[in-house]
Amino acid sequence: MTLSCGSSATLEAVSAAEPQLNKWYQLFVYQNREVTLDMARRAQAAGYSALVLTVDFPAIGLRYHNIKNNYHPSGEDQANYWPYGTDTAIANNATWADITWLKSQVRIPLVIKGILTAEDARLAVDSGADAILVSNHGGRQLDDAPATLEALPEIVAEVGRECEVYLDGGVRSGTDVFKALALGARAVFVGRPVCWGLVHSGSEGVKSVLEILYTELDNIMTITGCSTVASITPSHVRCVDDYTQALHAFNEK
Amino acid sequence: MTLSCGSSATLEAVSAAEPQLNKWYQLFVYQNREVTLDMARRAQAAGYSALVLTVDFPAIGLRYHNIKNNYHPSGEDQANYWPYGTDTAIANNATWADITWLKSQVRIPLVIKGILTAEDARLAVDSGADAILVSNHGGRQLDDAPATLEALPEIVAEVGRECEVYLDGGVRSGTDVFKALALGARAVFVGRPVCWGLVHSGSEGVKSVLEILYTELDNIMTITGCSTVASITPSHVRCVDDYTQALHAFNEK
Amino acid sequence: MTLSCGSSATLEAVSAAEPQLNKWYQLFVYQNREVTLDMARRAQAAGYSALVLTVDFPAIGLRYHNIKNNYHPSGEDQANYWPYGTDTAIANNATWADITWLKSQVRIPLVIKGILTAEDARLAVDSGADAILVSNHGGRQLDDAPATLEALPEIVAEVGRECEVYLDGGVRSGTDVFKALALGARAVFVGRPVCWGLVHSGSEGVKSVLEILYTELDNIMTITGCSTVASITPSHVRCVDDYTQALHAFNEK
Amino acid sequence: MTLSCGSSATLEAVSAAEPQLNKWYQLFVYQNREVTLDMARRAQAAGYSALVLTVDFPAIGLRYHNIKNNYHPSGEDQANYWPYGTDTAIANNATWADITWLKSQVRIPLVIKGILTAEDARLAVDSGADAILVSNHGGRQLDDAPATLEALPEIVAEVGRECEVYLDGGVRSGTDVFKALALGARAVFVGRPVCWGLVHSGSEGVKSVLEILYTELDNIMTITGCSTVASITPSHVRCVDDYTQALHAFNEK
């Protein structure tokens, strides 16, 4: 589980509640880098096994649907920020050097979240990233951002031999999980489905959502003949254009 | 006609009712391989001229529409299974070696049903298959399975010179039949249209459905100038991309 | 104007009514080739300047919309057929040799109508055709027939240097005319729009429809800078894929 | 701001009202070239810093929506034309030589508006154009004209090293601006959004529309990491086909 820095319980409280769970902590580069550093060290001290640094948020996207719905989330209940008062603005001047710097300050692995191109994946890895999380921020930052599943292959091709690559965004079924794994993701993350389960029936709902995804993935693996996750390969998926090319090859015979 | 192993009349009763009909028998690899063997031998003894072994069913797909419709088919009326009591689970551990084994136990040809890629067609043929039936199980096993007509050409290209290749799935008109034949299928199979005819007006309805398909195929063959099935070739169909390429070639002159 | 062999007035009566008009006559290869020959000679004698031989009608297509609408056109008012009694079945055994034969029997040019591939255009021309009319019979013969505009370029590329190529099917505006001319058609024909005009307001309606098409063609020619029909070239149209390729070329710089 | 020659206030009055504003003046080649020349000289004298010569209007397009809506704009309130009486017909015989001629008569730069192909951009520049405005006249001249964003790359590739290239047509959000800049436009122009703002709330509405576009562009630049307009490059946009190609490359590994 990755805990958002915007959680209403402190990262320490969450860790204390589930000390055995494999937990990662998500944070930003803040305008005040000391806030970044303090949060990272708190997470490390509290037993989180990785930091997930979100890099696609130099400014919040223009979310017209929020304006239309008169939705204005308050930051007041973001407990992790309480120690820092109002000095918690997310940096709009972060550079790749911030990754190198943060990496040098912590012992736990640093995952860079919000990468959508091979070029940026290369820069992140060369700056010290231990892993890449291909993400378009749930499609909420930029209306015309690419689908993460489309961006995944070129990123895996670029850095997949050097580090693990993950994906989030649009994962709604076990079939989606399967496709991402087939195209080189080491794991996928889900956000909204978990919220839907929570709204439906609390923690039981969250558990159900995860079980559904697991059951669906298990089913498609059985039907496609993949007995292990490692045996899911690019040859298990096709893009429509492949069939057009196969048809051309067929006709030319 | 291919008789499903799940038929409500025994394979022997069906054969006795239509002794002259060219009949094939469909079965699975069962967890208890003796069930598989006994069924195969019964079919052979009863005059079936081929076995159709379905290989895309190591587990039943997650059919949410069935859950929504509260549709839970019972296996109680599947007469072919009665001799085996409850020991009729379909194998989830079948391998290509099962094809080689079954082939060695019977004299009638072995058709492998449920192939969707050239790679699997190659493995099936090398394992002893006498023919390949390209099928996605009527689209019911896996929501994102490819259309059989799209998968057909690469399979014909791979094994078409060594054995016959058939197709089912989505065949709803004589035009669909024609396209499959043009892309290398030796024959096609239909499932749901037959059921629709049956529901509409019993055996007369089934007969009408088949006559409609025959009439439509005959008409398109006449209009395309194909006087025999053998004269239906890949040059009788096009994919849209062909025209784009032709236009490029035209513009470059 | 091309007169259909199924007209309710005889070809002689039509010609007598408009002796100065440039008229072509459309006919089929009939089972009784003497009917074909007699019709061809009558047209020639009556002053028609070309024969348009339709070759996509060895059988009538399965027109389910006609069945649904309970539309069963009678042949009783087809005046051109009256001399031949009931011996007017359209041939289902015509071959390319029939073109060579008919060509040898008449002095006026022979246009072959109903060609949709480069291969058939080549055969038609080699059999004696003076011109090719790319047509899918208004889309009424075969539901999955290609659009004539898509089929046109490969046909022009194949025989365009040897004879004139025309097009019908789907021509509904001056833009459609322009596109066909740009892709190599020497002229286009229209059917249904003329009928719509006729139903709307008789001969005035037909005149209006033709004037609208003329006005639209004139307008697009002016806007695209084509001062003559001959100056309309392939470079005046694009397929969407061209822009994708241009974008790739741009990005690679 | 580019002032239309069809404005209801004279170009002199507009300039007097906003003497410091960077203003361009749009005009046509008129049948009477003296009208063209006089207008151009008036604009130059009144402080306009460039002429925008529209070349996609040898005739007005067939605007059926205007006919349906009974919309017949009168030219009576077009104040810039008053000095010329009724002698203001737009030329239908303009050639590239008119550009060379007009260029020779004025000191301010000459922008050619209405270019949609690389060929025409080349001819315009070779005839003396100082800049190219890629435009399809808001889609109003020809129903099947290409999107300007699709036509832009080949034009930039052809003349982008020799002159500035601009774009209008379909610019409705900051994302549209960003894409045009990424594909090589030096600037974009907007028409209808300005009218919408004007109708909504007069000059305040126009101001709001421009502020919205600016805010959106600023936001996407921040999120994509472009700190200056010059840093927006082709690598910041993708066409879907890129991802298909990336997937093929990935699968071939």
Side-chain angles (χ1 to χ4, degrees):
Chain A
M1 189 195 77
T2 300
L3 183 71
S4 165
C5 60
S7 63
S8 54
T10 63
L11 65 92
E12 288 84 1
V14 171
S15 186
E18 288 286 350
Q20 304 306 322
L21 184 69
N22 181 8
K23 296 175 296 293
W24 294 6
Y25 184 71
Q26 176 271 331
L27 75 169
F28 295 99
V29 177
Y30 298 96
Q31 206 72 29
N32 180 346
R33 300 299 195 273
E34 294 301 317
V35 172
T36 308
L37 186 57
D38 190 65
M39 265 202 183
R41 286 178 170 164
R42 283 169 57 197
Q44 186 170 271
Y48 290 80
S49 55
L51 291 175
V52 178
L53 189 74
T54 300
V55 298
D56 61 5
F57 209 93
I60 189 167
L62 291 170
R63 303 179 184 183
Y64 288 129
H65 51 99
N66 283 357
I67 295 170
K68 285 180 187 166
N69 292 330
N70 204 26
Y71 174 68
H72 302 285
S74 153
E76 285 180 19
D77 58 353
Q78 299 186 354
N80 292 314
Y81 286 109
W82 291 342
Y84 317 116
T86 59
D87 193 15
T88 58
I90 296 171
N92 62 8
N93 63 357
T95 68
W96 301 105
D98 285 287
I99 293 176
T100 310
W101 163 76
L102 183 57
K103 172 69 186 166
S104 75
Q105 302 294 316
V106 292
R107 295 183 310 274
I108 55 177
L110 185 58
V111 181
I112 303 302
K113 173 174 180 280
I115 299 296
L116 286 169
T117 67
E119 294 90 333
D120 281 354
R122 167 53 52 207
L123 286 162
V125 169
D126 288 352
S127 301
D130 294 296
I132 298 294
L133 175 38
V134 179
S135 173
N136 59 17
H137 216 104
R140 294 181 299 149
Q141 275 293 84
L142 194 53
D143 279 352
D144 290 22
T148 51
L149 196 66
E150 290 188 314
L152 179 63
E154 71 174 46
I155 293 170
V156 171
E158 178 69 31
V159 300
R161 277 180 298 266
E162 300 165 55
C163 72
E164 296 191 343
V165 177
Y166 317 119
L167 174 144
D168 72 18
V171 176
R172 299 293 177 265
S173 74
T175 305
D176 296 328
V177 179
F178 184 88
K179 289 175 184 170
L181 298 179
L183 295 177
R186 184 72 175 83
V188 304
F189 292 82
V190 289
R192 253 168 284 191
V194 166
C195 296
W196 295 334
L198 187 70
V199 170
H200 182 277
S201 46
S203 61
E204 282 304 307
V206 173
K207 205 174 153 192
S208 288
V209 162
L210 296 176
E211 285 172 353
I212 289 169
L213 287 171
Y214 182 86
T215 302
E216 291 173 339
L217 177 60
D218 182 73
N219 186 253
I220 186 173
M221 287 178 61
T222 301
I223 290 174
T224 55
C226 297
S227 54
T228 64
V229 167
S231 64
I232 304 172
T233 68
S235 72
H236 288 94
V237 293
R238 291 286 174 84
C239 66
V240 170
D241 189 55
D242 291 329
Y243 291 113
T244 304
Q245 296 201 2
L247 186 52
H248 279 299
F250 180 78
N251 284 339
E252 278 159 19
K253 286 195 181 180
Chain B
M1 188 195 77
T2 300
L3 184 71
S4 165
C5 60
S7 63
S8 55
T10 63
L11 65 92
E12 289 85 0
V14 171
S15 187
E18 287 288 351
Q20 303 307 321
L21 185 69
N22 181 7
K23 294 175 299 292
W24 295 5
Y25 183 73
Q26 176 269 331
L27 75 168
F28 295 100
V29 177
Y30 298 96
Q31 206 72 30
N32 181 345
R33 301 299 196 272
E34 294 301 316
V35 172
T36 308
L37 186 57
D38 190 66
M39 265 200 182
R41 287 179 170 163
R42 283 170 59 198
Q44 186 171 271
Y48 289 80
S49 55
L51 291 174
V52 178
L53 188 73
T54 300
V55 298
D56 62 4
F57 208 94
I60 189 168
L62 291 170
R63 304 179 183 183
Y64 288 129
H65 51 100
N66 283 357
I67 295 171
K68 284 180 187 166
N69 293 330
N70 204 25
Y71 174 68
H72 303 285
S74 155
E76 285 181 19
D77 58 353
Q78 299 185 354
N80 291 314
Y81 287 108
W82 292 341
Y84 316 117
T86 59
D87 193 16
T88 58
I90 296 171
N92 63 7
N93 63 357
T95 67
W96 301 105
D98 285 288
I99 293 176
T100 310
W101 163 76
L102 184 57
K103 172 69 186 166
S104 75
Q105 302 293 317
V106 292
R107 296 183 309 275
I108 55 178
L110 186 57
V111 181
I112 303 302
K113 172 175 181 278
I115 299 295
L116 286 169
T117 67
E119 294 90 333
D120 282 354
R122 167 53 53 206
L123 286 163
V125 169
D126 289 351
S127 301
D130 294 295
I132 297 294
L133 174 39
V134 179
S135 173
N136 58 17
H137 215 105
R140 294 180 299 148
Q141 275 293 84
L142 194 53
D143 279 351
D144 290 22
T148 51
L149 196 67
E150 289 188 315
L152 180 63
E154 71 174 45
I155 293 170
V156 172
E158 179 69 32
V159 300
R161 278 179 298 266
E162 300 166 54
C163 71
E164 295 190 343
V165 178
Y166 317 118
L167 173 145
D168 73 16
V171 177
R172 298 292 178 266
S173 74
T175 305
D176 296 328
V177 179
F178 184 88
K179 289 174 183 170
L181 298 178
L183 295 177
R186 184 72 175 83
V188 304
F189 292 83
V190 289
R192 253 169 283 191
V194 166
C195 297
W196 295 333
L198 188 69
V199 169
H200 182 278
S201 46
S203 62
E204 283 304 309
V206 174
K207 205 174 153 193
S208 288
V209 162
L210 296 176
E211 284 171 353
I212 289 168
L213 286 171
Y214 182 85
T215 301
E216 290 173 340
L217 177 59
D218 182 75
N219 186 253
I220 186 173
M221 286 178 62
T222 301
I223 290 173
T224 56
C226 297
S227 54
T228 64
V229 167
S231 64
I232 305 172
T233 69
S235 72
H236 289 95
V237 294
R238 292 286 175 84
C239 66
V240 170
D241 189 55
D242 291 330
Y243 291 114
T244 304
Q245 296 201 3
L247 186 52
H248 279 298
F250 180 78
N251 284 339
E252 278 158 20
K253 285 192 184 184
Chain C
M1 188 195 77
T2 301
L3 183 71
S4 165
C5 59
S7 63
S8 53
T10 63
L11 65 93
E12 289 85 1
V14 171
S15 186
E18 287 287 351
Q20 304 305 322
L21 184 69
N22 180 7
K23 295 174 296 294
W24 294 5
Y25 183 71
Q26 176 270 331
L27 76 168
F28 296 100
V29 177
Y30 299 97
Q31 206 72 31
N32 181 345
R33 300 301 196 271
E34 293 302 316
V35 171
T36 308
L37 186 56
D38 190 66
M39 264 203 183
R41 287 178 171 163
R42 282 170 58 198
Q44 185 171 271
Y48 290 80
S49 54
L51 292 175
V52 178
L53 188 74
T54 301
V55 297
D56 62 3
F57 209 92
I60 188 167
L62 291 170
R63 303 179 184 183
Y64 288 129
H65 52 99
N66 283 357
I67 295 171
K68 284 180 186 165
N69 293 330
N70 204 25
Y71 174 67
H72 303 285
S74 154
E76 284 180 21
D77 57 353
Q78 298 186 356
N80 292 314
Y81 286 108
W82 291 343
Y84 316 117
T86 59
D87 194 15
T88 57
I90 296 171
N92 61 9
N93 63 356
T95 68
W96 300 106
D98 285 289
I99 293 176
T100 310
W101 164 75
L102 184 57
K103 172 69 186 167
S104 74
Q105 302 293 318
V106 293
R107 296 183 309 275
I108 55 178
L110 185 58
V111 181
I112 302 301
K113 171 174 181 279
I115 299 296
L116 286 168
T117 67
E119 295 89 334
D120 281 354
R122 167 53 52 207
L123 286 162
V125 169
D126 288 351
S127 302
D130 294 297
I132 297 294
L133 174 39
V134 179
S135 173
N136 58 17
H137 215 105
R140 294 181 298 148
Q141 275 293 84
L142 195 53
D143 279 352
D144 290 22
T148 51
L149 195 66
E150 290 187 315
L152 179 63
E154 71 175 45
I155 293 170
V156 171
E158 179 68 33
V159 300
R161 278 180 297 265
E162 300 165 52
C163 71
E164 295 191 343
V165 178
Y166 317 119
L167 174 144
D168 72 17
V171 177
R172 299 292 178 265
S173 74
T175 305
D176 297 327
V177 179
F178 185 88
K179 289 174 183 169
L181 297 179
L183 295 177
R186 184 72 174 82
V188 303
F189 292 82
V190 289
R192 253 169 283 192
V194 166
C195 296
W196 294 334
L198 188 69
V199 170
H200 182 278
S201 45
S203 61
E204 283 304 309
V206 173
K207 204 173 154 194
S208 288
V209 162
L210 297 176
E211 283 172 354
I212 289 168
L213 287 171
Y214 182 85
T215 301
E216 291 173 339
L217 177 60
D218 182 73
N219 187 254
I220 187 173
M221 286 178 62
T222 301
I223 291 174
T224 56
C226 297
S227 54
T228 63
V229 167
S231 63
I232 305 172
T233 69
S235 73
H236 289 93
V237 293
R238 292 286 174 86
C239 67
V240 171
D241 189 55
D242 291 330
Y243 291 113
T244 304
Q245 296 201 2
L247 186 52
H248 279 300
F250 180 78
N251 284 339
E252 279 158 20
K253 286 193 182 183
Chain D
M1 190 195 77
T2 300
L3 182 71
S4 165
C5 59
S7 63
S8 53
T10 63
L11 66 92
E12 289 84 0
V14 171
S15 187
E18 288 287 350
Q20 304 306 321
L21 185 69
N22 181 7
K23 295 175 296 294
W24 295 6
Y25 183 70
Q26 176 270 332
L27 75 168
F28 295 100
V29 177
Y30 299 96
Q31 207 71 29
N32 180 346
R33 301 300 196 271
E34 293 302 317
V35 171
T36 308
L37 186 57
D38 190 66
M39 265 201 182
R41 286 179 170 162
R42 282 170 58 198
Q44 187 171 271
Y48 289 80
S49 55
L51 291 175
V52 178
L53 188 74
T54 300
V55 297
D56 62 4
F57 209 92
I60 189 168
L62 291 171
R63 303 179 184 183
Y64 288 129
H65 51 100
N66 283 357
I67 295 171
K68 284 180 185 165
N69 292 330
N70 204 27
Y71 174 69
H72 303 286
S74 154
E76 285 181 19
D77 58 352
Q78 299 186 353
N80 291 314
Y81 287 108
W82 291 343
Y84 316 117
T86 59
D87 192 16
T88 58
I90 296 171
N92 63 8
N93 63 357
T95 68
W96 301 106
D98 285 289
I99 292 176
T100 310
W101 164 75
L102 184 57
K103 172 70 186 167
S104 74
Q105 303 294 317
V106 292
R107 295 182 310 274
I108 55 178
L110 185 58
V111 181
I112 303 301
K113 172 174 180 278
I115 299 295
L116 285 169
T117 68
E119 294 90 333
D120 281 354
R122 167 54 52 207
L123 286 162
V125 170
D126 288 351
S127 301
D130 293 295
I132 298 293
L133 173 39
V134 179
S135 173
N136 59 16
H137 215 104
R140 295 181 299 148
Q141 275 293 83
L142 194 53
D143 279 352
D144 290 22
T148 51
L149 196 66
E150 290 187 315
L152 179 64
E154 71 175 46
I155 292 170
V156 172
E158 179 68 33
V159 301
R161 277 180 298 266
E162 301 165 55
C163 71
E164 296 191 343
V165 178
Y166 317 119
L167 174 145
D168 71 17
V171 176
R172 298 292 178 266
S173 74
T175 305
D176 297 327
V177 179
F178 184 88
K179 290 174 183 169
L181 298 179
L183 294 176
R186 183 73 175 83
V188 303
F189 292 82
V190 289
R192 253 169 282 191
V194 166
C195 297
W196 295 334
L198 188 70
V199 169
H200 182 277
S201 46
S203 62
E204 283 305 308
V206 173
K207 203 172 154 194
S208 288
V209 162
L210 296 176
E211 283 171 354
I212 289 169
L213 287 171
Y214 182 86
T215 301
E216 291 173 340
L217 177 60
D218 182 74
N219 186 253
I220 186 173
M221 286 178 62
T222 301
I223 290 174
T224 56
C226 297
S227 55
T228 64
V229 167
S231 64
I232 305 172
T233 69
S235 73
H236 289 94
V237 294
R238 291 287 174 84
C239 67
V240 171
D241 189 56
D242 291 330
Y243 290 114
T244 304
Q245 295 202 3
L247 187 52
H248 279 298
F250 181 77
N251 284 339
E252 279 158 20
K253 287 196 181 181

